[in-house]
Amino acid sequence: MRNEINVAFTGNPNCGKTTLFNAYTGANLKVANWPGVTVEKKEGAMRYHDKQYRLVDLPGTYSLTSYTMEERLARQYILDDEVDVIIDVADASALERNLYLTIQLIELGKPVVLALNMMDIVEERGMEIDLHRLPEMLGIPVVPVCARRRTGLNVLMHAVEHHEVKVADRIEHHHTSGSHEHDHHGEYAMVYSDELEDKIDKISELLEIKYPQLENLRWHAIKMLEADEEICGKYPLNLSGIADRSYEEDIINQRYDFIEEIVREVLVNKDEKSRTTDKADQILTHRIWGLPIFFGIMAAVFFLTFTIGDWLKGYFELALEWFSGVATVFLIGVDAGEILSSLIVDGIIAGVGGVLTFLPNIFILFMALALLEDSGYMSRVAYVMDGIMSKIGLSGRAFIPMLLGFGCTVPAVMASRALENRGDRMRTIMVTPFMSCSARLPVYVLLSEMFFGDAALIAAYSMYVIGVVVAIVVAKLLSVFSKGEEEENTLLIELPEYKTPNARTIRIYVWEKIKDYLTKAGTTIFVASIILWALLNFGMSGKVDDMSQSFAAALGRWLAPVMSTAGLGYWQVVVALISGIAAKEVVVSSMSVLYGIGNIASAEGMGALATILQSSGFTAINAYSMMIFCLLYVPCIATIATIRRETNSTGWTLGAVAIQLGTAWLCSTLFYTVATIIF
Amino acid sequence: MKLSDGAVGKSYSVKNIDLSLKVKRRLEILGMTGNASVDVLNSKKSGTKIIKVRGTRFALGKSFAEGIEVEEI
């Protein structure tokens, strides 16, 4: 016997499954991808009563029918021998819909424990659930929990520990008729009509003869009646005379009939009033005010990101300055060579440190996105934006990946997976990188504070607006070339109840993002800083004192003519932009290295850089043009890799890169040309 | 009548779904089976609706709402 018990967490989307999972594992979890696909797989470990448990968080699904990638994954994983116990997390305040998955899970034949989550909301609304009758009817243990308040956690694990013990030997139905020859009321919770039960038994018999090693014949038989492609393909069987059509609709209807029967018996005060959500929705999804409110919320998010973020950034800069000074003194003290000192102070500390000072801005932005998501507002955005999105041939749902793109393009591109239709997905992936991610923020902050003084905030904010407009225009242009059917980009999304965001969930979400950012600073940006430093300090004649003789300068000069139409024909700027393909923050660190500014994010550093730039004819117009270019061109290596993985096509990936570079060059050139004529 | 013509604040009972099989199944799995009751909570000019089925709210695009045949309760 294995000494580790494998527990799988399943449940509908928005049922609080991840909150419950986090309550057990904390931030101590392994995040990886499911093999072959980019769906996130979260795994954690815990001890309970001297036993070791491995917990796996499965993607949220409404059913185990293999329609979407997530559903297929969840089903495959559960069917796999490794799973010992399934914890089915159900939102007790929406029991009726949540029980559909429960019934499918029970039919799989593995031990299932039903965790009734959000019991606090149930109580708040004056509803009551009969916790004695429910397990009797389902034949599995039922444990009330509240993931947010962390109650019932021990009882749930206790039920998991004793998963081999059945609740009731005989399931108590309301009407155990027992007259039919295929009567299964004593054995199974979900019993279909006599007609279907006859067919299930006949198929089971055939399966047993043809595939004697097959476990859980009943489940396979039901899947065959549903004409499930995967199962019918895996175990071909001649069903003529038994099932000449798909009985899926009958099966779904009968399952819901049974659920209605359960709900009638166990739920007291079903006519609940979810006043809070209805009241909030009256305002937030108002047919006129919904849209302005959404834009207001986003404006507030960016305002906080810039103001509070900048205030905190000041302290980070002081720390960096101090550290840089200490490092210089130390390096002189140990008599380090000139080249080594230069590499550490000008290359690594200036590069990595410069990027790290933007951590507060990024922290606040992710915090805001986490709040929007956890409160339940995010899916309302899909409804509010549906009108605008449908004009460009996409469903409102496609706006969620775009909104997440304000945080980081990589998870945003992955989030496009929620779109069922491939054409919609591809177009969303193509335009999501235009949404200004947090890594581009340092570039705007640097350039706008140097050149726009009091209007810096407006200049930076305008980038977000331009990004959205360009995304919409490009999506519209792409839709002209694709022949999408109307049905495919129609909105269908659950609007969960509003809830107070959970501090623990937010903390874990933000910490994961911050960890990514720090890792990037320690790896990609670290390496890019060293490479850039080397390219800048060495030339054909070896180590050069004058940077304009370096390899980087040669490359920059070679490409500068192309960029001069956009007012960016400076070799230093071109080098900074090229290095920005590693990660956008690198543009800032490159500028500091290129112009030899120690602490670029500080007021003195910016002043010094502004003076140098202006003396070479680089004005506010050039700066704004550079901001536009940074907004629109290739976000980073990681994004390109993600697009390649998600589209599974080199053509689409190259197309995306070409569109981004082309759009960036075109828009910045257009701006520069017009602006130089006007001013 | 069609669900897309449903008025905010009224309840309807599902009679028939005339959409592609894939969409029909998705809606059924979410609880929109025959005779299930649907409350219309909100509606936009573009035709998108917020509905409530079996205790859960959904935003439903116009062309889906047009394919759902309902009767007022």
Side-chain angles (χ1 to χ4, degrees), chain A residues 96 133 137 172-175 185 189 191 254-267, chain B residues 54:
Chain A
E96 205 167 331
R133 185 72 185 118
M137 291 186 86
E172 299 289 331
H173 279 266
H174 213 49
H175 47 77
H185 279 87
V191 181
Q254 290 183 24
R255 281 185 188 140
Y256 266 112
D257 287 346
F258 178 50
I259 291 169
E260 276 177 25
E261 195 184 313
I262 297 175
V263 169
R264 261 199 307 276
E265 278 201 41
V266 305
L267 204 63
Chain B
R54 297 185 193 267

Side-chain angles (χ1 to χ4, degrees), chain A residues 113-132:
Chain A
V113 177
L114 179 62
L116 277 186
N117 195 17
M118 310 208 185
M119 287 302 280
D120 51 334
I121 296 175
V122 171
E123 277 167 34
E124 240 172 63
R125 290 199 203 146
M127 288 154 68
E128 273 178 78
I129 295 175
D130 186 338
L131 291 169
H132 294 282

Side-chain angles (χ1 to χ4, degrees), chain A residues 29-47:
Chain A
L29 42 86
K30 238 173 39 198
V31 183
N33 282 334
W34 291 92
V37 286
T38 45
V39 178
E40 210 170 61
K41 178 185 183 182
K42 283 187 182 150
E43 229 183 274
M46 69 170 290
R47 283 193 79 77

Side-chain angles (χ1 to χ4, degrees), chain A residues 445-595:
Chain A
V445 173
L446 177 74
L447 288 168
S448 59
E449 284 187 8
M450 278 196 303
F451 288 95
F452 296 102
D454 291 339
L457 189 66
I458 298 165
Y461 187 55
S462 69
M463 285 301 124
Y464 290 86
V465 179
I466 294 174
V468 176
V469 172
V470 169
I472 287 173
V473 172
V474 173
K476 179 75 195 165
L477 288 175
L478 288 172
S479 78
V480 176
F481 299 107
S482 71
K483 38 163 188 23
E485 287 168 46
E486 203 184 343
E487 191 177 79
E488 287 170 339
N489 52 45
T490 304
L491 182 67
L492 176 59
I493 190 172
E494 182 188 343
L495 304 178
E497 301 270 324
Y498 288 108
K499 55 178 203 279
T500 322
N502 178 254
R504 198 182 161 88
T505 307
I506 305 245
R507 203 173 62 222
I508 291 170
Y509 177 95
V510 175
W511 170 235
E512 270 175 32
K513 305 293 172 196
I514 293 291
K515 214 163 58 184
D516 281 351
Y517 189 78
L518 291 175
T519 316
K520 201 160 66 168
T523 52
T524 317
I525 295 170
F526 179 78
V527 173
S529 299
I530 293 177
I531 293 174
L532 190 71
W533 174 85
L535 285 174
L536 282 169
N537 283 280
F538 293 90
M540 296 303 283
S541 54
K543 172 93 173 75
V544 290
D545 288 329
D546 184 3
M547 257 183 218
S548 60
Q549 302 300 316
S550 65
F551 288 122
L555 180 68
R557 283 198 196 92
W558 183 62
L559 283 171
V562 186
M563 299 299 291
S564 62
T565 53
L568 303 175
Y570 302 84
W571 69 264
Q572 295 95 330
V573 171
V574 175
V575 172
L577 290 174
I578 294 173
S579 63
I581 295 177
K584 277 281 165 75
E585 306 93 323
V586 176
V587 173
V588 171
S589 49
S590 302
M591 294 291 271
S592 71
V593 177
L594 279 157
Y595 288 102

